Amino acid sequence: MKARIKVTLKKGVLDPQGKAIQGALGSMGFAGVEGVRQGKYFEVDLAETDKSKAMTTVKAMCDKLIANTVIENYEIELA
Amino acid sequence: MISAVIVFPGINRETDMMQALEATTGTKPVAVWHAETELPPVDLVVVPGGFSYGDYLRCGAIAARSPIMNDVRAKAARGLKILGVCNGFQILTEAGLLPGALIRNAGLRFVCRQVKLRVENTRTFFTNRLNQGDVVRCPIAHGEGNYVCDEETLSSLEGEGRVVFRYVEGNPNGATNDIAGIVNKTGNVIGMMPHPENMIEPLHGATDCRPLFESLLAA
């Protein structure tokens, strides 16, 4: 089973990289970019075949390492 | 005063830190490899600066999950003094020993220069030889020193006098309330972004941070 994990900065946490990307897009001529937030994407291959067990494990992975829940949110998709 | 300095792969300030500790406390610190599971009997543990695990995932994230950190956490809970500098501060926040997080500098640049710090709390084991409001010069060298935390944490840090150092005459990284260093609720864990170990010998250009290390002897 594969877990696809999206980690994004929480609302209100400053994202200077997103701001720089937004500035670059503007200077390249892409008009109307109202905001850019940069995040991270992970693919984790699991031996587990039971979806709910996999979800429990991946949630623990996110809480304990993959995301810093002080500043980040995460979303998990299993396939 | 016996101290231990923890060494992780990618750390590069451990020698500076060990020299500073030896020069100021008179005792050579013990280097402890991150894969160890138990700390030797010491009075202080220092988590030094550098780039543990190449800053992969997040600064300090992987190092914070090292085997030795379980014992650091357990002994910190029993009152052992812990000091984290730069990457060490990032590691302590990632390990849950200090609140908040250190994110990318607001200006996006790695900043390597001298800053001025105001000592805000002189009741700690690293500042008891200084006076409230003293300003010391200290070098910084980091790309992710922008301290952030939620409103509740910030008001408890400020309300309880747990901001130990604050940047003055300019904030180099965008840190909330110019925070450069903090202490935990129980007063035994301190984290700071600047490098006091590099401002203690005349060869460093100034010795402003020597009293910080001398505070360890009185603590």
Side-chain angles (χ1 to χ4, degrees), chain A residues 7 9 13-20 40 42 62-68 70-72, chain B residues 57-58 61-62 65 93-94 99-108 146 148-150 174:
Chain A
V7 175
L9 278 178
V13 176
L14 182 77
D15 180 9
Q17 294 177 99
K19 281 256 181 294
K40 292 176 191 157
F42 302 82
C62 288
D63 286 328
K64 290 184 176 171
L65 177 65
I66 292 174
N68 178 346
V70 174
I71 48 169
E72 294 169 330
Chain B
L57 187 61
R58 295 177 305 275
I62 312 268
R65 279 81 183 173
T93 60
E94 281 281 348
L102 294 139
I103 64 166
R104 190 63 65 104
N105 292 348
L108 280 173
N146 182 349
V148 295
C149 60
D150 59 40

mmCIF file of all heavy atoms in Angstrom, chain A residues 7 9 13-20 40 42 62-68 70-72, chain B residues 57-58 61-62 65 93-94 99-108 146 148-150 174:
data_model
loop_
_atom_site.group_PDB
_atom_site.id
_atom_site.type_symbol
_atom_site.label_atom_id
_atom_site.label_comp_id
_atom_site.label_asym_id
_atom_site.label_seq_id
_atom_site.Cartn_x
_atom_site.Cartn_y
_atom_site.Cartn_z
ATOM 1 N N VAL A 7 2.033 17.845 3.350
ATOM 2 C CA VAL A 7 2.283 18.651 4.550
ATOM 3 C C VAL A 7 2.255 20.125 4.149
ATOM 4 O O VAL A 7 2.951 20.533 3.218
ATOM 5 C CB VAL A 7 3.637 18.279 5.198
ATOM 6 C CG1 VAL A 7 3.943 19.199 6.374
ATOM 7 C CG2 VAL A 7 3.630 16.817 5.654
ATOM 8 N N LEU A 9 1.919 24.374 5.568
ATOM 9 C CA LEU A 9 2.072 25.275 6.714
ATOM 10 C C LEU A 9 0.697 25.679 7.217
ATOM 11 O O LEU A 9 -0.217 25.918 6.427
ATOM 12 C CB LEU A 9 2.830 26.532 6.293
ATOM 13 C CG LEU A 9 4.352 26.446 6.248
ATOM 14 C CD1 LEU A 9 4.901 27.779 5.759
ATOM 15 C CD2 LEU A 9 4.947 26.101 7.604
ATOM 16 N N VAL A 13 1.088 30.985 9.665
ATOM 17 C CA VAL A 13 2.538 30.831 9.771
ATOM 18 C C VAL A 13 3.168 31.455 8.524
ATOM 19 O O VAL A 13 2.804 31.122 7.403
ATOM 20 C CB VAL A 13 2.965 29.344 9.891
ATOM 21 C CG1 VAL A 13 4.479 29.206 9.889
ATOM 22 C CG2 VAL A 13 2.376 28.717 11.140
ATOM 23 N N LEU A 14 4.081 32.365 8.773
ATOM 24 C CA LEU A 14 4.740 33.078 7.673
ATOM 25 C C LEU A 14 5.447 32.094 6.744
ATOM 26 O O LEU A 14 6.097 31.160 7.198
ATOM 27 C CB LEU A 14 5.768 34.044 8.285
ATOM 28 C CG LEU A 14 6.545 34.928 7.300
ATOM 29 C CD1 LEU A 14 5.681 36.066 6.820
ATOM 30 C CD2 LEU A 14 7.803 35.464 7.968
ATOM 31 N N ASP A 15 5.299 32.286 5.443
ATOM 32 C CA ASP A 15 5.964 31.412 4.475
ATOM 33 C C ASP A 15 6.814 32.257 3.525
ATOM 34 O O ASP A 15 6.378 32.628 2.433
ATOM 35 C CB ASP A 15 4.912 30.613 3.692
ATOM 36 C CG ASP A 15 5.546 29.686 2.669
ATOM 37 O OD1 ASP A 15 6.783 29.529 2.684
ATOM 38 O OD2 ASP A 15 4.808 29.121 1.857
ATOM 39 N N PRO A 16 8.046 32.602 3.967
ATOM 40 C CA PRO A 16 8.870 33.473 3.127
ATOM 41 C C PRO A 16 9.183 32.870 1.758
ATOM 42 O O PRO A 16 9.292 33.604 0.769
ATOM 43 C CB PRO A 16 10.154 33.673 3.942
ATOM 44 C CG PRO A 16 10.086 32.761 5.107
ATOM 45 C CD PRO A 16 8.703 32.238 5.229
ATOM 46 N N GLN A 17 9.261 31.541 1.680
ATOM 47 C CA GLN A 17 9.524 30.922 0.372
ATOM 48 C C GLN A 17 8.341 31.111 -0.562
ATOM 49 O O GLN A 17 8.502 31.414 -1.741
ATOM 50 C CB GLN A 17 9.824 29.432 0.550
ATOM 51 C CG GLN A 17 11.111 29.204 1.317
ATOM 52 C CD GLN A 17 11.381 27.726 1.551
ATOM 53 O OE1 GLN A 17 12.153 27.107 0.832
ATOM 54 N NE2 GLN A 17 10.720 27.165 2.537
ATOM 55 N N GLY A 18 7.143 30.917 -0.034
ATOM 56 C CA GLY A 18 5.939 31.141 -0.833
ATOM 57 C C GLY A 18 5.877 32.573 -1.331
ATOM 58 O O GLY A 18 5.552 32.831 -2.494
ATOM 59 N N LYS A 19 6.243 33.509 -0.443
ATOM 60 C CA LYS A 19 6.248 34.936 -0.815
ATOM 61 C C LYS A 19 7.228 35.199 -1.951
ATOM 62 O O LYS A 19 6.945 35.953 -2.879
ATOM 63 C CB LYS A 19 6.649 35.800 0.392
ATOM 64 C CG LYS A 19 5.552 36.043 1.392
ATOM 65 C CD LYS A 19 4.993 37.469 1.245
ATOM 66 C CE LYS A 19 3.903 37.785 2.251
ATOM 67 N NZ LYS A 19 2.676 36.986 2.052
ATOM 68 N N ALA A 20 8.424 34.565 -1.881
ATOM 69 C CA ALA A 20 9.434 34.763 -2.921
ATOM 70 C C ALA A 20 8.935 34.200 -4.245
ATOM 71 O O ALA A 20 9.142 34.805 -5.311
ATOM 72 C CB ALA A 20 10.742 34.091 -2.518
ATOM 73 N N LYS A 40 5.028 20.317 1.347
ATOM 74 C CA LYS A 40 5.868 19.145 1.054
ATOM 75 C C LYS A 40 4.977 17.962 0.733
ATOM 76 O O LYS A 40 3.846 17.875 1.215
ATOM 77 C CB LYS A 40 6.706 18.788 2.286
ATOM 78 C CG LYS A 40 7.759 19.791 2.641
ATOM 79 C CD LYS A 40 8.443 19.378 3.929
ATOM 80 C CE LYS A 40 9.309 20.509 4.458
ATOM 81 N NZ LYS A 40 9.531 20.392 5.884
ATOM 82 N N PHE A 42 5.056 13.615 0.349
ATOM 83 C CA PHE A 42 5.805 12.376 0.633
ATOM 84 C C PHE A 42 5.029 11.182 0.089
ATOM 85 O O PHE A 42 3.792 11.164 0.127
ATOM 86 C CB PHE A 42 5.941 12.167 2.147
ATOM 87 C CG PHE A 42 6.620 13.304 2.869
ATOM 88 C CD1 PHE A 42 5.910 14.437 3.235
ATOM 89 C CD2 PHE A 42 7.970 13.235 3.184
ATOM 90 C CE1 PHE A 42 6.532 15.488 3.900
ATOM 91 C CE2 PHE A 42 8.593 14.270 3.849
ATOM 92 C CZ PHE A 42 7.877 15.401 4.208
ATOM 93 N N CYS A 62 3.197 10.786 10.920
ATOM 94 C CA CYS A 62 3.066 12.228 10.676
ATOM 95 C C CYS A 62 3.194 13.007 11.983
ATOM 96 O O CYS A 62 3.923 13.997 12.046
ATOM 97 C CB CYS A 62 1.731 12.534 10.015
ATOM 98 S SG CYS A 62 1.687 12.002 8.300
ATOM 99 N N ASP A 63 2.498 12.551 13.018
ATOM 100 C CA ASP A 63 2.538 13.256 14.297
ATOM 101 C C ASP A 63 3.923 13.238 14.923
ATOM 102 O O ASP A 63 4.333 14.192 15.572
ATOM 103 C CB ASP A 63 1.538 12.626 15.278
ATOM 104 C CG ASP A 63 0.105 12.983 14.930
ATOM 105 O OD1 ASP A 63 -0.103 14.091 14.411
ATOM 106 O OD2 ASP A 63 -0.788 12.156 15.159
ATOM 107 N N LYS A 64 4.638 12.116 14.730
ATOM 108 C CA LYS A 64 5.917 11.960 15.429
ATOM 109 C C LYS A 64 7.115 12.453 14.639
ATOM 110 O O LYS A 64 8.155 12.736 15.204
ATOM 111 C CB LYS A 64 6.127 10.497 15.804
ATOM 112 C CG LYS A 64 5.181 10.039 16.899
ATOM 113 C CD LYS A 64 5.471 8.623 17.312
ATOM 114 C CE LYS A 64 4.579 8.215 18.478
ATOM 115 N NZ LYS A 64 4.686 6.794 18.773
ATOM 116 N N LEU A 65 7.006 12.497 13.302
ATOM 117 C CA LEU A 65 8.188 12.895 12.531
ATOM 118 C C LEU A 65 7.896 13.713 11.271
ATOM 119 O O LEU A 65 8.486 14.775 11.072
ATOM 120 C CB LEU A 65 9.007 11.642 12.144
ATOM 121 C CG LEU A 65 10.228 11.916 11.264
ATOM 122 C CD1 LEU A 65 11.268 12.764 12.001
ATOM 123 C CD2 LEU A 65 10.882 10.618 10.799
ATOM 124 N N ILE A 66 7.002 13.204 10.433
ATOM 125 C CA ILE A 66 6.905 13.778 9.086
ATOM 126 C C ILE A 66 6.415 15.224 9.102
ATOM 127 O O ILE A 66 6.869 16.045 8.317
ATOM 128 C CB ILE A 66 6.046 12.852 8.185
ATOM 129 C CG1 ILE A 66 6.828 11.537 7.957
ATOM 130 C CG2 ILE A 66 5.709 13.516 6.847
ATOM 131 C CD1 ILE A 66 6.091 10.451 7.226
ATOM 132 N N ALA A 67 5.501 15.536 10.031
ATOM 133 C CA ALA A 67 5.047 16.929 10.151
ATOM 134 C C ALA A 67 5.447 17.469 11.524
ATOM 135 O O ALA A 67 5.574 16.706 12.478
ATOM 136 C CB ALA A 67 3.539 17.001 9.991
ATOM 137 N N ASN A 68 5.670 18.758 11.604
ATOM 138 C CA ASN A 68 5.827 19.416 12.905
ATOM 139 C C ASN A 68 4.499 20.113 13.167
ATOM 140 O O ASN A 68 4.225 21.168 12.588
ATOM 141 C CB ASN A 68 6.980 20.420 12.868
ATOM 142 C CG ASN A 68 7.143 21.154 14.195
ATOM 143 O OD1 ASN A 68 6.259 21.104 15.051
ATOM 144 N ND2 ASN A 68 8.254 21.834 14.362
ATOM 145 N N VAL A 70 3.364 21.856 15.318
ATOM 146 C CA VAL A 70 3.373 23.225 15.852
ATOM 147 C C VAL A 70 3.105 24.217 14.714
ATOM 148 O O VAL A 70 2.430 25.222 14.878
ATOM 149 C CB VAL A 70 4.726 23.543 16.538
ATOM 150 C CG1 VAL A 70 4.807 25.004 16.967
ATOM 151 C CG2 VAL A 70 4.961 22.630 17.730
ATOM 152 N N ILE A 71 3.642 23.901 13.533
ATOM 153 C CA ILE A 71 3.533 24.844 12.413
ATOM 154 C C ILE A 71 2.888 24.248 11.161
ATOM 155 O O ILE A 71 2.590 24.964 10.217
ATOM 156 C CB ILE A 71 4.934 25.402 12.015
ATOM 157 C CG1 ILE A 71 5.954 24.264 11.870
ATOM 158 C CG2 ILE A 71 5.419 26.450 12.995
ATOM 159 C CD1 ILE A 71 7.267 24.666 11.229
ATOM 160 N N GLU A 72 2.699 22.912 11.140
ATOM 161 C CA GLU A 72 2.245 22.273 9.904
ATOM 162 C C GLU A 72 0.997 21.418 10.099
ATOM 163 O O GLU A 72 0.791 20.824 11.156
ATOM 164 C CB GLU A 72 3.365 21.373 9.342
ATOM 165 C CG GLU A 72 4.585 22.144 8.871
ATOM 166 C CD GLU A 72 5.793 21.253 8.566
ATOM 167 O OE1 GLU A 72 5.932 20.185 9.196
ATOM 168 O OE2 GLU A 72 6.595 21.624 7.699
ATOM 169 N N LEU B 57 14.400 17.108 5.953
ATOM 170 C CA LEU B 57 13.017 17.148 6.461
ATOM 171 C C LEU B 57 12.718 18.503 7.088
ATOM 172 O O LEU B 57 11.968 19.271 6.518
ATOM 173 C CB LEU B 57 12.720 16.003 7.429
ATOM 174 C CG LEU B 57 11.265 15.882 7.877
ATOM 175 C CD1 LEU B 57 10.325 15.641 6.703
ATOM 176 C CD2 LEU B 57 11.094 14.794 8.926
ATOM 177 N N ARG B 58 13.244 18.778 8.271
ATOM 178 C CA ARG B 58 13.209 20.113 8.887
ATOM 179 C C ARG B 58 14.457 20.197 9.740
ATOM 180 O O ARG B 58 14.944 19.171 10.226
ATOM 181 C CB ARG B 58 11.972 20.268 9.817
ATOM 182 C CG ARG B 58 10.623 20.218 9.145
ATOM 183 C CD ARG B 58 9.504 20.311 10.193
ATOM 184 N NE ARG B 58 9.613 19.299 11.227
ATOM 185 C CZ ARG B 58 9.136 18.062 11.128
ATOM 186 N NH1 ARG B 58 8.492 17.666 10.051
ATOM 187 N NH2 ARG B 58 9.302 17.197 12.126
ATOM 188 N N ALA B 61 14.968 17.956 12.893
ATOM 189 C CA ALA B 61 13.880 16.972 13.018
ATOM 190 C C ALA B 61 14.399 15.550 13.214
ATOM 191 O O ALA B 61 13.897 14.812 14.059
ATOM 192 C CB ALA B 61 12.969 17.025 11.793
ATOM 193 N N ILE B 62 15.389 15.168 12.437
ATOM 194 C CA ILE B 62 15.874 13.783 12.510
ATOM 195 C C ILE B 62 16.696 13.607 13.794
ATOM 196 O O ILE B 62 16.528 12.625 14.508
ATOM 197 C CB ILE B 62 16.725 13.427 11.268
ATOM 198 C CG1 ILE B 62 16.009 13.859 9.977
ATOM 199 C CG2 ILE B 62 17.117 11.953 11.266
ATOM 200 C CD1 ILE B 62 15.139 12.862 9.319
ATOM 201 N N ARG B 65 14.989 12.809 17.016
ATOM 202 C CA ARG B 65 14.479 11.436 17.196
ATOM 203 C C ARG B 65 15.614 10.436 17.381
ATOM 204 O O ARG B 65 15.421 9.241 17.259
ATOM 205 C CB ARG B 65 13.610 11.027 15.995
ATOM 206 C CG ARG B 65 12.168 11.545 16.053
ATOM 207 C CD ARG B 65 12.039 12.962 15.600
ATOM 208 N NE ARG B 65 10.686 13.501 15.717
ATOM 209 C CZ ARG B 65 10.399 14.781 15.500
ATOM 210 N NH1 ARG B 65 11.351 15.647 15.183
ATOM 211 N NH2 ARG B 65 9.166 15.209 15.630
ATOM 212 N N THR B 93 13.462 22.139 20.188
ATOM 213 C CA THR B 93 12.038 22.398 19.893
ATOM 214 C C THR B 93 11.430 21.180 19.201
ATOM 215 O O THR B 93 10.321 20.762 19.533
ATOM 216 C CB THR B 93 11.811 23.660 19.021
ATOM 217 O OG1 THR B 93 12.483 23.499 17.776
ATOM 218 C CG2 THR B 93 12.285 24.912 19.698
ATOM 219 N N GLU B 94 12.172 20.588 18.275
ATOM 220 C CA GLU B 94 11.661 19.394 17.580
ATOM 221 C C GLU B 94 11.477 18.231 18.550
ATOM 222 O O GLU B 94 10.623 17.376 18.342
ATOM 223 C CB GLU B 94 12.619 18.989 16.453
ATOM 224 C CG GLU B 94 12.471 19.830 15.180
ATOM 225 C CD GLU B 94 11.264 19.408 14.327
ATOM 226 O OE1 GLU B 94 10.690 18.337 14.608
ATOM 227 O OE2 GLU B 94 10.915 20.155 13.396
ATOM 228 N N PRO B 99 9.051 24.989 23.633
ATOM 229 C CA PRO B 99 7.874 25.230 22.794
ATOM 230 C C PRO B 99 8.221 26.004 21.521
ATOM 231 O O PRO B 99 9.284 26.617 21.429
ATOM 232 C CB PRO B 99 6.991 26.087 23.705
ATOM 233 C CG PRO B 99 7.968 26.826 24.571
ATOM 234 C CD PRO B 99 9.132 25.893 24.786
ATOM 235 N N GLY B 100 7.314 25.969 20.551
ATOM 236 C CA GLY B 100 7.492 26.746 19.332
ATOM 237 C C GLY B 100 8.316 26.029 18.288
ATOM 238 O O GLY B 100 8.587 24.826 18.407
ATOM 239 N N ALA B 101 8.688 26.792 17.251
ATOM 240 C CA ALA B 101 9.463 26.215 16.145
ATOM 241 C C ALA B 101 10.325 27.303 15.535
ATOM 242 O O ALA B 101 10.067 28.494 15.717
ATOM 243 C CB ALA B 101 8.518 25.638 15.098
ATOM 244 N N LEU B 102 11.367 26.888 14.811
ATOM 245 C CA LEU B 102 12.236 27.840 14.121
ATOM 246 C C LEU B 102 12.085 27.620 12.634
ATOM 247 O O LEU B 102 12.353 26.530 12.123
ATOM 248 C CB LEU B 102 13.680 27.652 14.598
ATOM 249 C CG LEU B 102 13.750 28.061 16.087
ATOM 250 C CD1 LEU B 102 14.612 27.137 16.893
ATOM 251 C CD2 LEU B 102 14.161 29.509 16.228
ATOM 252 N N ILE B 103 11.591 28.646 11.965
ATOM 253 C CA ILE B 103 11.325 28.502 10.532
ATOM 254 C C ILE B 103 12.283 29.386 9.742
ATOM 255 O O ILE B 103 13.081 30.143 10.312
ATOM 256 C CB ILE B 103 9.843 28.820 10.185
ATOM 257 C CG1 ILE B 103 9.491 30.277 10.488
ATOM 258 C CG2 ILE B 103 8.908 27.873 10.936
ATOM 259 C CD1 ILE B 103 8.190 30.737 9.871
ATOM 260 N N ARG B 104 12.179 29.301 8.410
ATOM 261 C CA ARG B 104 13.040 30.026 7.492
ATOM 262 C C ARG B 104 13.118 31.512 7.856
ATOM 263 O O ARG B 104 12.095 32.132 8.160
ATOM 264 C CB ARG B 104 12.475 29.863 6.065
ATOM 265 C CG ARG B 104 13.356 30.351 4.941
ATOM 266 C CD ARG B 104 14.642 29.612 4.820
ATOM 267 N NE ARG B 104 14.475 28.216 4.456
ATOM 268 C CZ ARG B 104 14.710 27.741 3.234
ATOM 269 N NH1 ARG B 104 15.097 28.530 2.266
ATOM 270 N NH2 ARG B 104 14.565 26.454 2.990
ATOM 271 N N ASN B 105 14.321 32.078 7.820
ATOM 272 C CA ASN B 105 14.481 33.505 8.088
ATOM 273 C C ASN B 105 13.535 34.313 7.202
ATOM 274 O O ASN B 105 13.380 33.994 6.024
ATOM 275 C CB ASN B 105 15.919 33.952 7.790
ATOM 276 C CG ASN B 105 16.924 33.361 8.769
ATOM 277 O OD1 ASN B 105 16.549 32.800 9.786
ATOM 278 N ND2 ASN B 105 18.200 33.499 8.446
ATOM 279 N N ALA B 106 12.954 35.360 7.779
ATOM 280 C CA ALA B 106 11.980 36.146 7.028
ATOM 281 C C ALA B 106 12.587 36.702 5.743
ATOM 282 O O ALA B 106 11.928 36.795 4.719
ATOM 283 C CB ALA B 106 11.436 37.274 7.898
ATOM 284 N N GLY B 107 13.877 37.056 5.775
ATOM 285 C CA GLY B 107 14.525 37.614 4.585
ATOM 286 C C GLY B 107 15.025 36.543 3.629
ATOM 287 O O GLY B 107 15.655 36.866 2.619
ATOM 288 N N LEU B 108 14.769 35.283 3.949
ATOM 289 C CA LEU B 108 15.147 34.113 3.141
ATOM 290 C C LEU B 108 16.642 33.840 3.076
ATOM 291 O O LEU B 108 17.068 32.820 2.560
ATOM 292 C CB LEU B 108 14.598 34.219 1.702
ATOM 293 C CG LEU B 108 13.137 33.856 1.525
ATOM 294 C CD1 LEU B 108 12.692 34.159 0.109
ATOM 295 C CD2 LEU B 108 12.880 32.386 1.833
ATOM 296 N N ASN B 146 13.998 31.927 12.653
ATOM 297 C CA ASN B 146 12.811 32.757 12.823
ATOM 298 C C ASN B 146 11.865 32.049 13.798
ATOM 299 O O ASN B 146 11.156 31.123 13.423
ATOM 300 C CB ASN B 146 12.189 32.923 11.427
ATOM 301 C CG ASN B 146 10.965 33.790 11.411
ATOM 302 O OD1 ASN B 146 10.407 34.139 12.456
ATOM 303 N ND2 ASN B 146 10.514 34.127 10.223
ATOM 304 N N VAL B 148 8.847 31.059 15.931
ATOM 305 C CA VAL B 148 7.392 31.222 15.901
ATOM 306 C C VAL B 148 6.746 30.312 16.950
ATOM 307 O O VAL B 148 7.293 29.265 17.296
ATOM 308 C CB VAL B 148 6.767 30.883 14.510
ATOM 309 C CG1 VAL B 148 7.224 31.854 13.447
ATOM 310 C CG2 VAL B 148 7.084 29.456 14.082
ATOM 311 N N CYS B 149 5.588 30.738 17.449
ATOM 312 C CA CYS B 149 4.812 29.887 18.348
ATOM 313 C C CYS B 149 3.394 30.438 18.352
ATOM 314 O O CYS B 149 3.152 31.523 17.819
ATOM 315 C CB CYS B 149 5.401 29.902 19.758
ATOM 316 S SG CYS B 149 5.448 31.514 20.527
ATOM 317 N N ASP B 150 2.469 29.664 18.938
ATOM 318 C CA ASP B 150 1.090 30.166 18.948
ATOM 319 C C ASP B 150 0.939 31.263 20.012
ATOM 320 O O ASP B 150 1.810 31.458 20.852
ATOM 321 C CB ASP B 150 0.083 29.014 19.129
ATOM 322 C CG ASP B 150 0.303 28.252 20.425
ATOM 323 O OD1 ASP B 150 0.598 28.901 21.448
ATOM 324 O OD2 ASP B 150 0.204 27.019 20.427
ATOM 325 N N GLY B 174 13.518 37.803 11.635
ATOM 326 C CA GLY B 174 12.061 37.921 11.686
ATOM 327 C C GLY B 174 11.424 37.262 12.898
ATOM 328 O O GLY B 174 10.198 37.170 12.991
#
